[in-house]
Amino acid sequence: MRALTWHGRRDVRVDTVPDPVLKAADDIIVKITTTGLCGSDLHLYEILAPFLDSGDILGHEPMGIVQEVGPEVTAARPGDRVVIPFNISCGTCFMCTRGLHSQCETTQVHAHGTGASLFGYTKLYGQVPGGQAQYLRVPFGNTLPLPVPHGPPDDRYVYLSDVLPTAWQAVEYADIPPGGSVAVLGLGPIGDMSCRIATHRGAATVIGIDLVPERLDRARGRGVHALDLGALGDGLTDAVHELTDGRGPDAVIDAVGMEAHGSRVAAAAQGITTLLPDALAAAMMKHAGVDRLAALHAAISLVRRGGTVSVSGVYGGAADPMPLLTMFDKQLTFRMGQANVRRWIDDILPLLTDEDPLGADGFATHRLPLEQAPSAYETFQKKQEGAVKILFTP
């Protein structure tokens, strides 16, 4: 089959690789019809090389048609249409039964002290072959795949793999009061969808903050107060306060993570890791402060006293400095973590209708053949051509 594989920093290729096969009695094989390019895939493209091997298959936002099932699979059969969550969860362990599928005890990666395994996402999360491919082996065939109806386009359902539940959890964790306010840092796929969900769930004031004109215009088109960080600079806080009665928003969602602009020291640290042998680079990534924390510091500064900061952007450094004095003084609440995909599906699926209140059907900005994935990674990384959400057809 053809699959998008990693070969080094900013070097991904579409190669011919062996087809996946059933390994466990409850595995299924899915023929991928649509698969997404995620902002966190750029962490693999740019930063997390020490935890990847040449030939690793990337991607964690797939959907498709079941082709083959193991002998113990009773909940799926060939021909079924399914979406595959990005976190690999058994659905039956202590964590899964409490809605913490991203902490699944069956697939935790104990060698690295991390949570549930993820499709296509480094040794830190199991080094499981990903979904930017023609076929995908999916474990836990009775509990992990999300069945969806035939008929509507893939665009309606593919975001159940990551974008929709990640954004839904970001808003849920933000705990925005009815009629309240939220600022969303970063208007990539997760930030954009978080704005839409916050509006749908009753936030009266939704503020989106970014540097990319196309992303700002896209958010404004859905009624968001879109603020250009590049134009405002140090005036950002004043602009946000003007929209929130002078005190700051009730909640701030950090949808940026480790690739935020700012912090030359952290940027240099990230660059250094690309020059070190993998073993040394991995140790530095796991035990040093290598994140650019501009977005997180902005969230702490912007949110009102007693407010909530919800972090959906991925950070990678274990020893990042945090402004604990300000966090304590402002009596802030923080919630964060990988999305528990399965937990939120029952809330989201009823919204994926012809009425399309979240704009899922038209959310993608680019639809490309998988063979064009290498150039698409570069375009997305450089924020060119108005790229917000790119979908591939294998």
Side-chain angles (χ1 to χ4, degrees):
M1 70 172 182
R2 301 289 281 171
L4 190 284
T5 58
W6 183 91
H7 290 275
R9 184 170 180 258
R10 300 186 187 178
D11 183 4
V12 294
R13 310 170 192 171
V14 179
D15 293 332
T16 299
V17 302
D19 290 351
V21 297
L22 299 173
K23 293 183 178 180
D26 63 347
D27 283 352
I28 66 172
I29 303 295
V30 177
K31 181 179 181 180
I32 304 304
T33 54
T34 298
T35 184
L37 172 56
C38 180
S40 59
D41 287 328
L42 297 181
H43 303 154
L44 315 184
Y45 187 67
E46 183 74 22
I47 299 170
L48 295 178
F51 303 106
L52 290 155
D53 290 330
S54 184
D56 281 352
I57 301 173
L58 306 187
H60 57 268
E61 297 186 351
M63 70 172 292
I65 305 298
V66 176
Q67 295 293 293
E68 187 178 357
V69 302
E72 293 183 5
V73 175
T74 58
R77 59 184 181 180
D80 286 353
R81 191 185 194 196
V82 294
V83 177
I84 309 303
F86 76 91
N87 35 39
I88 303 172
S89 56
C90 70
T92 58
C93 70
F94 176 92
M95 291 294 179
C96 287
T97 56
R98 285 157 178 78
L100 294 169
H101 299 82
S102 67
Q103 309 302 321
C104 174
E105 292 183 329
T106 305
T107 71
Q108 285 176 13
V109 185
H110 298 292
H112 292 284
T114 51
S117 296
L118 310 178
F119 286 105
Y121 212 80
T122 80
K123 297 172 186 175
L124 291 174
Y125 290 98
Q127 205 168 25
V128 181
Q132 289 172 2
Q134 291 180 312
Y135 294 91
L136 178 69
R137 181 184 73 87
V138 179
F140 310 114
N142 290 314
T143 54
L144 182 58
L146 307 171
V148 295
H150 288 276
D154 280 6
D155 288 38
R156 182 169 301 183
Y157 299 117
V158 68
Y159 306 117
L160 289 170
S161 60
D162 183 349
V163 173
L164 281 166
T166 297
W168 192 275
Q169 180 171 295
V171 174
E172 180 75 18
Y173 281 8
D175 195 25
I176 308 160
S181 57
V182 60
V184 179
L185 298 172
L187 294 174
I190 303 303
D192 186 329
M193 186 57 75
S194 294
C195 290
R196 300 179 186 208
I197 291 171
T199 299
H200 175 77
R201 294 181 59 170
T205 303
V206 178
I207 304 164
I209 300 165
D210 206 292
L211 294 159
V212 182
E214 294 89 347
R215 297 183 178 191
L216 293 164
D217 289 343
R218 179 175 158 106
R220 289 189 187 104
R222 297 194 63 95
V224 173
H225 297 278
L227 302 180
D228 185 344
L229 177 59
L232 288 169
D234 292 339
L236 176 64
T237 298
D238 289 341
V240 172
H241 279 195
E242 286 180 10
L243 295 169
T244 55
D245 299 323
R247 66 176 62 93
D250 298 306
V252 176
I253 294 171
D254 174 3
V256 178
M258 68 169 71
E259 291 195 321
H261 292 267
S263 180
R264 293 180 181 178
V265 173
Q270 290 177 356
I272 288 170
T273 64
T274 68
L275 305 176
L276 296 173
D278 281 353
L280 293 177
M284 182 176 178
M285 291 291 289
K286 291 177 71 174
H287 300 296
V290 298
D291 290 318
R292 308 184 195 189
L293 296 173
L296 188 55
H297 286 189
I300 294 166
S301 175
L302 290 173
V303 72
R304 69 163 171 79
R305 292 179 177 273
T308 300
V309 175
S310 171
V311 182
S312 62
V314 176
Y315 287 93
D320 292 320
M322 293 291 291
L324 289 170
L325 175 61
T326 302
M327 293 157 61
F328 180 85
D329 180 63
K330 294 186 72 171
Q331 199 170 331
L332 303 181
T333 297
F334 281 76
R335 294 201 71 181
M336 63 193 74
Q338 298 279 11
N340 304 297
V341 174
R342 267 287 189 173
R343 177 174 182 173
W344 310 114
I345 296 304
D346 289 345
D347 295 309
I348 300 168
L349 198 54
L351 302 177
L352 303 183
T353 62
D354 289 344
E355 287 72 27
D356 194 21
L358 301 179
D361 287 359
F363 191 70
T365 54
H366 295 68
R367 296 169 185 81
L368 302 169
L370 183 64
E371 297 293 330
Q372 295 182 27
S375 61
Y377 265 75
E378 182 178 4
T379 297
F380 191 36
Q381 195 269 338
K382 293 180 178 179
K383 299 179 175 64
Q384 296 174 336
E385 300 178 14
V388 176
K389 191 61 190 176
I390 298 174
L391 298 178
F392 299 128
T393 303

